[in-house]
Amino acid sequence: MRVLVTGGAGFIGSPIVEALRAHGHDPVVFDIRTDPAADIRDPQALRDALTGVEAVCHQAAMVGLGTGFTDAPDYVSHNDLGTAVLLAAMAERGIHRLVLAGSMVVYGEGRYTCPRHGTVRPGPRDVTALTAGHFEPPCPACGADLAPGLVDEDAPSDPRNVYATTKLAQEHLAAAWARSTGGSAVSLRYHNVYGPGMPRDTPYAGVASFFRSALARGEAPRVFEDGRQRRDFVHVRDVASANVAALTADPAAGGLTAYNTGSGTPHTVGEMARALAAAYGGPDPVVTGEYRLGDVRHITADSSRLRAALGWKPEVDFEEGMREFASAGLRGE
């Protein structure tokens, strides 16, 4: 199968290209990093790239929390306008298969349980509480402590920052395209992806990249809040294999199917920082108590639907992945 991989020279796109080749497919890379004319917002460039293509794996995006709301036009332009232009070109070319790089950020906060009120959804994080070092969200009904759990694909969406909003909009655009054309769209909602080739610590990089970059400079990783915020760290090769599974599964026409894509084993950010520092050889992390208002406290995946539907399972465990990541190069080094 000939597959166009947008963002195919990037951190996640590159392993997808490798995995597709390893499974006998013909990936076509569309990435502005390798070709300045490969702008996802350029209709003619996409029409040309889609010639002979049977499916699209859409990884191109502006990622991360950014530097503030002034980034909003760039996020919307690259992520949402770019996706709309891509889908329009696919409709023109009669291409009916799409796998989209989704994100767990569409959920906002994860799943929480109150001992009195059951499953609840905390509201926006309170600046006064965060400044005072109170990082756990209380029950919105009674103020009690909450127990975090795994979020599944049926949880309501509640994006808490600009990037998250654009990722949800991408899913809505893909669903509208699928309904209009009879196409098949899958969104793989990635959790915290890490591994070799991560971009260096720009404002748009992930927390694993920030920690690894600090260690390379001989500095201690700086852990925000109290380090107990829960995430699901999933290796980039496992994410690549999930994309191959989604591209080769029997398509469900006329709509979008979302799958959480995570390791299934939650770890705290502090645990990740300590494991990475130990594998690298120090220095030990420093817990700062600082916070970013756009961050959520806990978000971890229930990826059982992806395992059951597509037969996918992660292969790289946390300790092995951190050891590899400690010695791997970062993009831009």
Side-chain angles (χ1 to χ4, degrees):
M1 179 167 56
R2 189 170 174 86
V3 182
L4 183 72
V5 184
T6 70
F11 163 52
I12 297 176
S14 294
I16 291 173
V17 168
E18 293 175 7
L20 284 167
R21 287 195 181 118
H23 284 79
H25 300 290
D26 180 19
V28 178
V29 173
F30 186 87
D31 197 308
I32 203 166
R33 297 174 184 86
T34 55
D35 180 1
D39 189 326
I40 196 69
R41 298 162 294 182
D42 183 336
Q44 189 56 53
L46 282 168
R47 292 188 197 103
D48 294 343
L50 288 168
T51 302
V53 163
E54 301 163 77
V56 173
C57 185
H58 183 29
Q59 305 296 312
M62 186 173 177
V63 300
L65 204 57
T67 59
F69 199 83
T70 54
D71 287 331
D74 284 339
Y75 275 107
V76 172
S77 177
H78 285 88
N79 297 357
D80 298 339
L81 175 60
T83 298
V85 173
L86 170 65
L87 294 172
M90 290 175 65
E92 288 181 20
R93 290 291 193 187
I95 299 165
H96 297 296
R97 188 158 198 155
L98 172 73
V99 174
L100 172 69
S103 176
M104 54 85 181
V105 295
V106 300
Y107 299 118
E109 287 285 351
R111 184 179 185 273
Y112 293 87
T113 303
C114 171
R116 288 181 56 194
H117 296 96
T119 299
V120 296
R121 292 186 64 78
R125 302 185 79 183
D126 180 69
V127 174
T128 302
L130 291 171
T131 303
H134 303 309
F135 302 117
E136 295 290 345
C139 174
C142 67
D145 292 340
L146 299 175
L150 300 180
V151 61
D152 64 24
E153 294 88 348
D154 296 326
S157 56
D158 184 18
R160 299 287 178 98
N161 55 59
V162 170
Y163 169 62
T165 302
T166 65
K167 298 306 289 184
L168 182 59
Q170 284 184 308
E171 289 194 351
H172 288 315
L173 287 165
W177 164 84
R179 287 191 295 269
S180 174
T181 64
S184 168
V186 171
S187 177
L188 297 176
R189 291 175 175 170
Y190 303 157
H191 280 244
N192 288 69
V193 186
Y194 74 96
M198 282 195 84
R200 294 185 64 183
D201 54 346
T202 74
Y204 308 96
V207 64
S209 174
F210 288 137
F211 294 167
R212 174 63 177 75
S213 296
L215 289 165
R217 296 191 300 268
E219 300 172 3
R222 294 177 59 81
V223 180
F224 280 13
E225 302 186 18
D226 58 4
R228 296 176 184 170
Q229 54 272 49
R230 288 158 47 103
R231 297 291 187 269
D232 185 321
F233 298 100
V234 59
H235 196 278
V236 68
R237 286 197 300 275
D238 287 331
V239 169
S241 70
N243 275 271
V244 174
L247 284 162
T248 55
D250 291 336
L256 179 138
T257 304
Y259 295 110
N260 288 336
T261 307
S263 71
T265 306
H267 290 275
T268 68
V269 172
E271 286 174 339
M272 189 271 283
R274 289 190 294 273
L276 186 58
Y280 192 85
D284 292 335
V286 174
V287 177
T288 68
E290 299 171 11
Y291 64 88
R292 298 188 301 180
L293 193 58
D295 281 337
V296 297
R297 178 61 175 173
H298 303 295
I299 177 68
T300 52
D302 178 351
S303 299
S304 58
R305 185 176 295 180
L306 176 59
R307 298 183 188 216
L310 302 186
W312 170 87
K313 64 177 182 179
E315 301 290 346
V316 182
D317 69 26
F318 181 74
E319 290 75 16
E320 173 192 351
M322 287 298 151
R323 286 194 297 270
E324 179 194 27
F325 185 46
S327 60
L330 297 176
R331 188 174 297 269
E333 286 186 334

